[in-house]
Amino acid sequence: MTSVIQRNSGLVQRRTEASRGAAAADKDKALGEDDKSRKEDQDEDEKGDSKETRLTLMEEVLLLGLKDREGYTSFWNDCISSGLRGCMLIELALRGRLQLESCGMRRKSLLTRKVICKSDAPTGDVMLDEALKHIKETQPPETVQSWIELLSGETWNPLKLHYQLRNVRERLAKNLVEKGILTTEKQNFLLFDMTTHPLTNNNIKQRLIKKVQEAVLDKWVNDPHRMDKRLLALIYLAHASDVLENAFAPLLDEQYDLAMKRVRQLLDLDPEAESMKTNTNELLWAVVAAFTK
């Protein structure tokens, strides 16, 4: 009798352990599926990227503007300087460091609202932290348009020249060198030597170009609020910096025309109206307004 009870208790124990094991397996499977779904939700363009090759908006715009072999931007491009400052503002906004002041009862326009420091936590990027420090310490606050000009050094006020971020393109290029995308060379231009940064990792740049192309071709959603905010900002800022054409140059004529048509659709949007929609970033649209007004 005792042996029967022992066998029965052993059977119950094995069944209990089996049920626990099945429950644990189901839980692990559910967690695995959650992890998989979260992983799939990440930006597809970051697949295969190491931490070192994830680029800021400034680096992406500069990379689009650089000549691959020569390693410098066009001498005739006088837009990229202000465009890169716009990149900094949006990058800081997307990272939760900056925001626009409240619009108020009368609803101020985007370009009249001041930029406010939301968080002064370091970003890990020297230039972004430098810009953030200026914005945080400036009283009274300035507008988006003013900050683009001040950070570019485009001011008539000698007391505000210290806001200028110097050697931005060279510093960004050095970042890209450290990330293994560019290299550093010296080139002789008749009267002077110039440091250049030719492309060494073409895969990164081609992936960037493909991402921009697909955003307005194969993956076009015809609604800026369904687009990834960072990608939307990249298209606007690449256009403002006069480097978007470089991403579309390899396209066939029909694809090029379609891509430019859709970019024009984005440029024709009213930033004021778009900024009032849900799940939007007001500072992003304020920068867009500054470049498209």
Side-chain angles (χ1 to χ4, degrees):
M1 181 69 177
T2 304
S3 62
V4 171
I5 293 172
Q6 287 175 342
R7 283 198 301 272
N8 287 340
S9 63
L11 181 61
V12 170
Q13 186 175 3
R14 285 196 298 275
R15 283 177 177 173
T16 303
E17 288 175 354
S19 62
R20 285 175 182 169
D26 289 341
K27 184 177 180 181
D28 290 342
K29 183 179 179 182
L31 288 172
E33 290 175 351
D34 287 344
D35 290 341
K36 184 179 178 181
S37 65
R38 278 196 295 270
K39 190 174 182 180
E40 287 174 351
D41 287 340
Q42 291 177 348
D43 189 357
E44 291 183 2
D45 298 298
E46 291 185 355
K47 287 180 181 176
D49 282 1
S50 66
K51 188 175 180 181
E52 289 74 24
T53 56
R54 291 178 187 167
L55 309 180
T56 63
L57 282 171
M58 303 94 71
E59 291 166 347
E60 288 180 326
V61 167
L62 181 68
L63 190 55
L64 287 176
L66 279 174
K67 299 174 184 288
D68 292 356
R69 293 182 180 178
E70 293 85 346
Y72 52 82
T73 56
S74 170
F75 291 124
W76 312 111
N77 188 339
D78 58 355
C79 303
I80 195 169
S81 177
S82 58
L84 289 173
R85 272 63 176 190
C87 289
M88 292 179 189
L89 295 179
I90 293 182
E91 186 76 42
L92 286 168
L94 293 177
R95 295 190 186 198
R97 303 307 196 276
L98 299 180
Q99 64 183 16
L100 290 184
E101 65 177 348
S102 60
C103 57
M105 293 293 290
R106 294 189 176 183
R107 186 143 196 105
K108 296 179 183 177
S109 68
L110 292 171
L111 293 179
T112 59
R113 292 162 67 183
K114 311 295 186 182
V115 179
I116 305 296
C117 179
K118 185 178 178 182
S119 167
D120 61 355
T123 64
D125 184 285
V126 175
M127 275 186 291
L128 288 178
D129 289 341
E130 191 177 336
L132 182 61
K133 184 174 183 289
H134 283 317
I135 294 169
K136 179 194 172 187
E137 295 177 352
T138 300
Q139 293 298 330
E142 300 280 358
T143 63
V144 162
Q145 183 71 59
S146 295
W147 275 119
I148 291 173
E149 294 171 356
L150 290 172
L151 295 174
S152 302
E154 298 174 0
T155 175
W156 294 101
N157 187 343
L159 298 177
K160 293 187 175 183
L161 285 174
H162 67 282
Y163 289 123
Q164 181 182 5
L165 298 183
R166 301 181 182 279
N167 304 318
V168 167
R169 271 177 270 190
E170 179 63 22
R171 292 161 71 183
L172 288 173
K174 287 181 177 177
N175 288 350
L176 293 172
V177 170
E178 291 175 2
K179 293 179 179 181
I181 301 170
L182 305 179
T183 187
T184 302
E185 294 180 357
K186 288 280 187 182
Q187 286 196 28
N188 181 268
F189 288 86
L190 297 178
L191 301 177
F192 61 94
D193 289 334
M194 187 173 87
T195 301
T196 61
H197 300 282
L199 185 69
T200 56
N201 189 334
N202 193 48
N203 291 335
I204 299 292
K205 183 163 185 177
Q206 289 306 312
R207 189 153 64 237
L208 174 62
I209 289 173
K210 182 182 178 183
K211 178 172 72 171
V212 174
Q213 291 175 352
E214 288 183 341
V216 291
L217 291 173
D218 299 343
K219 297 182 180 179
W220 174 247
V221 293
N222 200 29
D223 180 0
H225 300 282
R226 290 171 56 201
M227 292 178 67
D228 174 74
K229 290 184 177 66
R230 182 173 291 274
L231 182 53
L232 178 67
L234 175 59
I235 292 172
Y236 273 116
L237 291 166
H239 182 271
S241 303
D242 199 18
V243 300
L244 187 59
E245 186 85 13
N246 297 349
F248 294 159
L251 294 174
L252 299 174
D253 290 346
E254 289 183 3
Q255 291 178 313
Y256 176 86
D257 291 341
L258 181 58
M260 290 307 297
K261 177 184 176 183
R262 288 172 173 169
V263 169
R264 176 51 56 189
Q265 288 177 0
L266 291 175
L267 295 173
D268 288 342
L269 293 173
D270 179 10
E272 296 287 347
E274 299 303 323
S275 69
M276 288 188 279
K277 296 180 180 178
T278 57
N279 192 30
T280 189
N281 188 300
E282 290 183 319
L283 198 144
L284 186 158
W285 288 107
V287 172
V288 170
F291 285 114
T292 59
K293 64 182 178 66

